[in-house]
Amino acid sequence: MKILVCISHVPDTTSKINFANNDSEFDTNGVQFVINPNDEFGLTRAIWFQEKQGATVTVVNVGGPETEPTLRKALAIGANDAIRVNATPTDGFFVAKQLAEVIKNGGYDLVIAGKESLDYNGGMVPGMIAAMTNANFVNSCTELTIEGANAKAVREIDGGKETVSTTLPLIIGGQKGLVEEKDLRIPNMRGIMTARTKPLTVVEPTEAPTHTKAVKFEKPAPKSAVKLIPADNLDELINLLHNEAKVI
């Protein structure tokens, strides 16, 4: 079984976020980048298929040379090889078009993408690549088992979960639950050293239009200062909850 895991290069949640050029561009200065969390769950599940069922695992990213450390981390976790599409990921459609081209050329049985990226939260790429490649698609996937050409998946729906059966080739939009958080892997020294020798292929992008453009970014309003109420002043606490916070 050939598995392709789509990897987004996203800011660490502990990074301080700023914007440049009149708040129209994300400022990457001083920002630490990591594997998108939803993608990391998918990568760990793919490594499980590699170890238990002999699958080969390729990781792919659309981005410039600055994304290669993130791909190398994925290789250190256990992926067999990596592909970088040498292009700036301008919008969801453009990214999906590049990934679809890689999928068509690679003949993959299973494609695992995070249901959304941590930075833009568009949630559109997995569905679009499924449409572009005519593959079966399961979004918000939290469990996945494969036997031969048959797959069984569990996905989150409003108010519960749904179990579906389908066949390969399959594209899933994965999320937390594909593996337990405790099963996520931290690359060890041997993995890091081995990753340096694993193939990382750079391919040029295919032509694709950009349909959307970020016009302006805006930070959430800062939180107001905390008000401390003495434990014996219940009247004041009730007054503030009722008249200021308006929660009672």
Side-chain angles (χ1 to χ4, degrees):
M1 179 168 59
K2 292 182 67 177
I3 302 176
L4 182 70
V5 181
C6 304
I7 299 292
S8 290
H9 174 77
V10 301
D12 191 317
T13 53
T14 61
S15 298
K16 186 176 181 180
I17 301 302
N18 290 301
F19 303 108
N21 293 336
N22 199 27
D23 291 339
S24 65
E25 295 178 6
F26 174 60
D27 185 359
T28 60
N29 289 323
V31 176
Q32 179 71 35
F33 284 83
V34 297
I35 298 174
N36 181 49
N38 284 325
D39 302 342
E40 192 168 2
F41 285 109
L43 174 60
T44 306
R45 188 59 177 167
I47 299 302
W48 185 91
F49 286 123
Q50 178 196 70
E51 294 173 347
K52 303 296 183 182
Q53 300 182 4
T56 60
V57 178
T58 300
V59 290
V60 62
N61 166 263
V62 179
E66 70 280 357
T67 69
E68 290 192 7
T70 299
L71 286 174
R72 288 291 179 194
K73 181 181 178 182
L75 291 172
I77 288 172
N80 298 96
D81 61 309
I83 299 170
R84 178 173 67 82
V85 181
N86 189 30
T88 301
T90 50
D91 72 347
F93 180 84
F94 179 85
V95 170
K97 190 72 174 175
Q98 308 311 315
L99 294 175
E101 197 68 20
V102 171
I103 293 165
K104 290 174 184 175
N105 292 334
Y108 297 97
D109 304 296
L110 173 66
V111 178
I112 303 177
K115 72 169 185 177
E116 61 184 358
S117 62
L118 187 71
D119 46 7
Y120 292 102
N121 299 107
M124 63 183 79
V125 170
M128 285 197 288
I129 58 177
M132 292 174 183
T133 58
N134 262 342
N136 294 322
F137 175 51
V138 178
N139 203 20
S140 302
C141 185
T142 58
E143 295 179 38
L144 180 66
T145 57
I146 295 175
E147 294 183 10
N150 299 310
K152 182 176 286 187
V154 177
R155 69 185 192 98
E156 282 192 354
I157 59 174
D158 287 344
K161 294 183 177 181
E162 178 185 41
T163 301
V164 297
S165 61
T166 184
T167 56
L168 305 180
L170 172 66
I171 293 171
I172 69 164
Q175 63 178 60
K176 181 179 178 179
L178 270 177
V179 295
E180 298 295 329
E181 284 192 66
K182 64 180 177 63
D183 294 326
L184 294 176
R185 303 188 179 195
I186 299 174
N188 56 31
M189 185 56 66
R190 181 180 179 184
I192 293 169
M193 297 301 292
T194 303
R196 295 179 180 178
T197 63
K198 290 181 178 179
L200 196 163
T201 305
V202 178
V203 300
E204 292 306 311
T206 187
E207 287 232 7
T210 297
H211 291 299
T212 57
K213 179 183 178 181
V215 177
K216 186 175 182 179
F217 295 97
E218 186 176 344
K219 291 183 180 181
K223 294 181 180 180
S224 58
V226 174
K227 290 185 178 180
L228 297 177
I229 310 299
D232 58 353
N233 194 352
L234 292 179
D235 290 341
E236 177 63 11
L237 177 61
I238 292 170
N239 175 58
L240 291 173
L241 290 174
H242 181 69
N243 296 311
E244 188 170 313
K246 301 186 185 302
V247 294
I248 61 173

